[in-house]
Amino acid sequence: QVQPVESGGGLVQAGGSLRLSCAASGRTFSNYAMGWFRQAPGKDREFVATISWSGGRSVYADSVKGRFTISRDNAKNTVYLQMNTLKPEDTAVYYCAAGGLTSVVPRMYRYWGQGTQVTVSS
């Protein structure tokens, strides 16, 4: 089992950058695909990015492609989401999740963090 814990959220101006971190406990962290999802008020939880257990495969939502980068450091049991050129529409609670497969579907992830708030001002 792994227990993801997100950090790094905050308030940033449009055009700025933030780096989210997701620290996950467990010796088997490297065996999990990791994903980032986000949820804004009144909206469904949506896929942001995912990365395979090896880091060799990454998939991004069209809305963040070219601006966000997902990466992982298995030695530190940590996955990152580097967010550049942030837009007000990126404002949401961002969740980190661990699953057995690299997927854009939330139900494919077994373990979830509690989320971290990202607010982008215009």
Side-chain angles (χ1 to χ4, degrees):
Q1 295 184 339
V2 297
Q3 179 58 61
V5 179
E6 304 94 337
S7 64
L11 176 65
V12 65
Q13 290 184 330
S17 299
L18 283 174
R19 188 181 73 164
L20 305 184
S21 297
C22 174
S25 64
R27 292 172 59 86
T28 60
F29 171 82
S30 63
N31 293 330
Y32 288 90
M34 302 295 296
W36 286 98
F37 295 79
R38 66 188 184 187
Q39 188 167 24
K43 299 182 65 177
D44 293 335
R45 187 168 298 187
E46 67 173 345
F47 167 76
V48 177
T50 186
I51 188 167
S52 63
W53 67 268
S54 67
R57 169 177 164 80
S58 300
V59 180
Y60 298 91
D62 288 342
S63 60
V64 306
K65 191 174 299 181
R67 299 188 297 121
F68 290 12
T69 303
I70 188 170
S71 62
R72 67 190 298 162
D73 185 341
N74 288 346
K76 297 182 178 179
N77 285 2
T78 302
V79 63
Y80 304 96
L81 186 68
Q82 179 66 47
M83 305 185 295
N84 297 327
T85 319
L86 282 161
K87 304 175 181 179
E89 52 262 44
D90 295 318
T91 295
V93 176
Y94 283 70
Y95 297 91
C96 177
L101 298 172
T102 304
S103 177
V104 305
V105 182
R107 68 178 177 85
M108 297 302 296
Y109 293 84
R110 181 176 177 88
Y111 306 103
W112 291 80
Q114 295 301 305
T116 185
Q117 177 70 48
V118 172
T119 302
V120 184
S121 62
S122 60

